Amino acid sequence: MRKLLVLVLALLLFSNLSGCAEPEQIKYDRDFFAMDTYIACQVLSADEKLAVKALDAVEAAFMDIDRLTNRFEQDSEISAINQNAGIAPVKVSEDVYSMVEIALEWSDKTDGAFNILIGDVMDLWGFGSDQPAVPAEAALAEALTRTDYHKIMLDQENLTIYLPEKGMVMDLGGVAKGYATDKAVAALKEMGIENALINAGGNVYVLGSRADGTPWKVGVQDPRDPEGIKAVLQGENTAIISSGDYQRYFEADGIRYHHIIDPADGYPARASAGTTIIMKSATIADILSTSLFVKGPVEGIKLAEEFDEVDAAMIITADGKIFGTKNLNDYMAEN
Ligand code: AMP
Ligand code: MG
């Protein structure tokens, strides 16, 4: 009897102690608008002040990168680069310099499917304006003569970027959200946040796990059903980044014209409807979600298999078929 009492007391004490050692993590969330996208962030923490600071840091990371890379703001660094095309090199921040450097590296690795000189072509289509429309073929052909990204001149010592021909227009829309995501995650880690989720319009990063210790789950939108989920993916400490022809588009004569351009002909790429990349770097995942979309399901998946950094990739076609890397199943959740 006495023994039993001691055991019960010990158990009570133990449960109490363990309760003290692990204060409950509470979910704090915040939604904000940046980079033309609603961004949703959740942070788990036992410390409310820290959680608020962490959410502030995430918001600041997106606002900062937005300010630097917004082509439609006259005083952004990207505007300075574009205004000085054919005139002079422009001194930039380390963030813009390294975004451009990484983008150019992966342009080559994707055989030019990723091309940050697509800005002029984007403008001809009117993406970013209120009235997008199909441009004249001659105008597209003319704009394509100024998209040779190999001509971009970087000077690492002086941190300058130079577009050597007048009319060249740089657009970082395919990489900036991923880059901002990496910056936000770095800030969270520095603050000691271990569990969080950032979703910038399908540009997701999952840090640690959910409050109950199970992995964060990420629904991949069905490209042809705004309410539907095509697959549920899960992961820990990884970017899970999607691009799709459903994110920004207009329709004319029954054809969907969207914002991911095939640099080979200046038209919206047709072979894919959605792509998702799972890998540690959100910057590169963002680049690849755009460029593998251009490559299409067969070539795109083949290329993804060649990159060691890529953990898994998935491409959905307009008729709803799913193409994936060999290990895609390892990341598929039950739902
Ligand atoms: P995402 O939503 O990440 O797929 O990026 C789409 C954005 O990237 C577009 O809104 C353009 O700003 C830019 N973009 C479109 N096509 C390309 C391309 N082939 N290479 C690089 N950037 C592109
Ligand atoms: Mg992208």
Side-chain angles (χ1 to χ4, degrees):
M1 184 65 193
R2 207 191 166 117
K3 252 188 192 159
L4 190 65
L5 194 66
V6 169
L7 187 69
V8 168
L9 276 176
L11 276 175
L12 274 176
L13 195 66
F14 178 75
S15 62
N16 227 349
L17 273 179
S18 65
C20 282
E22 284 273 345
E24 199 191 343
Q25 295 218 328
I26 295 170
K27 187 163 85 183
Y28 297 90
D29 48 30
R30 187 181 298 174
D31 295 353
F32 57 95
F33 193 76
M35 299 181 160
D36 223 13
T37 311
Y38 280 102
I39 299 173
C41 180
Q42 305 171 28
V43 161
L44 302 185
S45 177
D47 177 346
E48 183 174 359
K49 269 200 187 131
L50 178 66
V52 170
K53 240 177 84 183
L55 291 168
D56 286 344
V58 171
E59 193 170 341
F62 279 93
M63 292 301 180
D64 285 350
I65 300 303
D66 193 3
R67 206 172 302 120
L68 294 171
T69 61
N70 190 335
R71 261 186 338 111
F72 304 102
E73 288 292 340
Q74 286 305 305
D75 55 0
S76 66
E77 286 192 5
I78 190 85
S79 290
I81 294 171
N82 290 334
Q83 286 154 12
N84 282 288
I87 300 172
V90 173
K91 172 114 176 126
V92 295
S93 58
E94 279 177 24
D95 283 325
V96 166
Y97 190 90
S98 69
M99 241 180 287
V100 170
E101 199 175 37
I102 297 168
L104 292 179
E105 177 192 342
W106 286 87
S107 296
D108 275 340
K109 287 184 174 168
T110 58
D111 317 309
F114 197 74
N115 188 335
I116 53 174
L117 288 188
I118 209 71
D120 200 15
V121 174
M122 290 297 291
D123 291 343
L124 284 176
W125 284 95
F127 291 111
S129 80
D130 296 338
Q131 283 176 317
V134 181
E137 222 174 296
L140 274 182
E142 203 268 330
L144 284 176
T145 63
R146 293 186 301 272
T147 53
D148 184 356
Y149 64 86
H150 293 104
K151 293 182 178 168
I152 300 173
M153 291 161 80
L154 297 187
D155 179 341
Q156 186 157 31
E157 211 159 292
N158 297 306
L159 225 57
T160 64
I161 296 177
Y162 181 40
L163 306 184
E165 290 171 17
K166 255 205 148 32
M168 283 182 160
V169 182
M170 188 184 275
D171 179 328
L172 295 176
V175 56
K177 269 188 285 200
Y179 188 87
T181 303
D182 278 334
K183 288 216 78 157
V185 171
L188 290 179
K189 284 182 180 166
E190 202 157 299
M191 287 179 180
I193 298 291
E194 291 173 345
N195 304 298
L197 181 143
I198 299 171
N199 182 0
N203 227 279
V204 179
Y205 192 97
V206 286
L207 182 65
S209 56
R210 299 192 286 199
D212 62 4
T214 59
W216 294 105
K217 293 183 180 182
V218 179
V220 176
Q221 193 185 312
D222 182 336
R224 293 296 172 268
D225 174 9
E227 308 291 310
I229 295 289
K230 193 75 186 167
V232 180
L233 301 174
Q234 62 182 32
E236 207 178 298
N237 304 324
T238 185
I240 301 180
I241 289 188
S242 300
S243 284
D245 64 7
Y246 49 88
Q247 289 171 332
R248 199 174 304 165
Y249 67 93
F250 66 94
E251 268 166 347
D253 299 328
I255 299 177
R256 178 186 296 231
Y257 296 102
H258 60 86
H259 71 314
I260 302 174
I261 303 294
D262 184 345
D265 62 9
Y267 283 84
R270 294 242 155 269
S272 322
T275 49
T276 301
I277 310 292
I278 305 179
M279 66 190 292
K280 301 288 175 228
S281 163
T283 307
I284 301 169
D286 193 3
I287 290 173
L288 286 177
S289 70
T290 308
S291 37
L292 297 193
F293 186 103
V294 172
K295 286 272 176 194
V298 176
E299 259 197 78
I301 293 298
K302 205 174 127 208
L303 196 59
E305 298 276 16
E306 285 174 19
F307 300 135
D308 288 342
E309 304 92 323
V310 174
D311 292 316
M314 176 171 109
I315 300 185
I316 307 168
T317 56
D319 57 3
K321 288 202 186 76
I322 293 182
F323 291 69
T325 49
K326 287 186 204 85
N327 57 352
L328 178 64
N329 271 341
D330 300 348
Y331 297 87
M332 289 277 194
E334 285 300 317
N335 203 348

